[in-house]
Amino acid sequence: MAVCATHSSALMIAYAASKDLTIPSLFSYANPRPNNLSVALCPPLVLLGARRGSNRSFPVVVSAVAAEADVDTEEDAEQNEATSTATAVLDPPKPKKGKAALLLKRDRTRSKRFLEIQKLRETKKEYDVKTAVSLLKQTANTRFVESVEAHFRLNIDPKYNDQQLRATVSLPKGTGQTVKVAVLAQGEKVDEAKNAGADIVGSDDLIEQIKGGFMEFDKLIASPDMMVKVAGLGKILGPRGLMPNPKAGTVTANIPQAIEEFKKGKVEFRADKTGIVHIPFGKVNFTEEDLLVNFLAAVKSVETNKPKGAKGVYWKSAHICSSMGPSIKLNIREMIDFKP
């Protein structure tokens, strides 16, 4: 097969010898990229050529041609390698964006303070409520007074209307925070709100201030007759969670009672997109008994306001923690049946 493949080249070399031409240059021109396989399979060939007018024969060895083919092949390989290296240098990896740019959990580092207090509790252990509250106070060792939070994972899907959870809870021992209340009312309701201890009271003038960027309040309460005018503030108040809503108790005709409840420690909560409820229920400087009373009030409110569409096991997990401390997992059955 190799002899057949080189038959035409052999004839050209013989012709070049008869014409007294340089063999390698003619071969390179005729076949710039020879097949190494065909050259390797063929042993050196000796071709006989005769000059015109001469009876003497001379040998033409094809080994020189094979050597030139090897050199060309090595040069091509080096060029290809250089091209691939240049391409790799010119195409840097694209920077990651969004969640892909965040460090993996195993690569994140914690402060020395957090690593020390994390040793106080066992990661997967489920604690009873009383032990958990006592442990929570031990883990709060920052220079400021931390808030205490409860996080409940529920078996609900808020994208369905019958599985949404939004309600309020009145914490018996308060939140430990000073709540600034603003009231939108008109007529006699304005005087009632001022006498009840509202920090800011107004009507159309307050609406214009809010449109201008005024947000110096924590709760906004509105009388039902003002909701027609308040509807235009949805894009401003909605993202901040300040839009008056009947379910949250911020749209009511009994304004003095609503002011008193929010001043004492009424807290609004709702389930997020993943079905988790986050409720602050005090400060770490509260006594353990006060924290227990507030926590049980929050649990009772979540249980009472169970959505109609919730099926199966309602409670999936429950944790409590301070603002800067590790979470402490609770025993759900013990939590629901706990009695102080």
Side-chain angles (χ1 to χ4, degrees):
M1 179 180 65
V3 175
C4 296
T6 56
H7 179 68
S8 58
S9 300
L11 293 178
M12 294 180 65
I13 293 172
Y15 177 77
S18 63
K19 295 293 184 181
D20 197 14
L21 298 176
T22 302
I23 296 174
S25 60
L26 180 61
F27 185 84
S28 300
Y29 175 79
N31 188 10
R33 289 190 177 183
N35 190 347
N36 288 342
L37 181 62
S38 60
V39 175
L41 292 177
C42 293
L45 301 178
V46 179
L47 303 178
L48 298 178
R51 294 180 183 270
R52 289 183 179 180
S54 174
N55 296 327
R56 186 181 61 180
S57 299
F58 69 94
V60 179
V61 182
V62 190
S63 299
V65 179
E68 183 182 359
D70 292 338
V71 172
D72 293 341
T73 305
E74 291 178 359
E75 292 178 355
D76 292 342
E78 291 177 357
Q79 292 179 358
N80 293 337
E81 184 178 358
T83 304
S84 61
T85 305
T87 304
V89 173
L90 294 176
D91 296 336
K94 295 182 179 179
K96 297 181 180 180
K97 298 180 180 180
K99 292 184 178 180
L102 298 176
L103 292 175
L104 297 177
K105 189 174 182 180
R106 65 173 180 268
D107 298 330
R108 298 175 192 168
T109 57
R110 292 282 193 175
S111 64
K112 293 181 179 179
R113 182 198 66 85
F114 189 90
L115 294 176
E116 287 297 326
I117 62 177
Q118 198 173 22
K119 297 176 183 178
L120 299 176
R121 53 92 177 172
E122 298 181 24
T123 306
K124 297 183 179 181
K125 181 179 178 179
E126 295 183 352
Y127 292 87
D128 61 89
V129 177
K130 195 170 183 178
T131 304
V133 171
S134 177
L135 185 59
L136 181 145
K137 289 178 67 67
Q138 297 178 31
T139 59
N141 59 357
T142 55
R143 297 180 181 179
F144 62 95
V145 180
E146 302 179 41
S147 296
V148 179
E149 307 165 359
H151 306 277
F152 305 125
R153 186 177 185 85
L154 307 176
N155 188 22
I156 58 176
D157 191 352
K159 71 179 181 180
Y160 299 106
N161 293 330
D162 60 347
Q163 296 188 38
Q164 295 179 356
L165 176 61
R166 183 174 184 177
T168 58
V169 55
S170 295
L171 301 176
K173 302 300 180 179
T175 60
Q177 299 176 344
T178 302
V179 181
K180 196 172 184 179
V181 179
V183 177
L184 283 171
Q186 56 187 358
E188 298 179 354
K189 300 289 185 183
V190 175
D191 296 331
E192 292 180 3
K194 290 181 179 179
N195 296 332
D199 299 288
I200 303 170
V201 182
S203 181
D204 294 336
D205 56 339
L206 183 55
I207 291 177
E208 293 299 324
Q209 291 180 17
I210 294 174
K211 288 182 179 179
F214 178 75
M215 291 289 169
E216 301 296 326
F217 52 85
D218 301 314
K219 289 292 178 182
L220 180 61
I221 300 174
S223 57
D225 57 347
M226 289 293 296
M227 287 306 296
V228 177
K229 300 178 181 180
V230 177
L233 301 175
K235 293 183 179 180
I236 301 174
L237 299 175
R240 294 174 173 83
L242 296 173
M243 186 68 181
N245 190 295
K247 293 183 179 180
T250 50
V251 177
T252 176
N254 194 348
I255 292 180
Q257 181 182 354
I259 295 173
E260 182 182 2
E261 290 177 349
F262 282 108
K263 287 283 187 179
K264 286 185 176 180
K266 190 175 184 179
V267 177
E268 178 187 358
F269 63 87
R270 65 188 302 174
D272 61 15
K273 295 180 180 180
T274 59
I276 301 177
V277 178
H278 313 274
I279 305 177
F281 63 95
K283 296 282 189 178
V284 292
N285 57 358
F286 283 19
T287 62
E288 293 184 12
E289 290 74 15
D290 291 347
L291 289 175
L292 276 173
V293 172
N294 282 351
F295 176 74
L296 294 176
V299 172
K300 184 178 179 181
S301 180
V302 174
E303 181 70 26
T304 304
N305 292 282
K306 180 180 179 180
K308 296 180 180 179
K311 299 178 182 179
V313 179
Y314 182 49
W315 297 86
K316 297 182 71 174
S317 66
H319 296 77
I320 61 173
C321 66
S322 60
S323 300
M324 304 295 290
S327 62
I328 302 171
K329 191 173 184 179
L330 302 176
N331 187 307
I332 295 177
R333 179 51 54 194
E334 194 276 338
M335 176 189 72
I336 297 175
D337 297 339
F338 182 81
K339 294 180 180 180

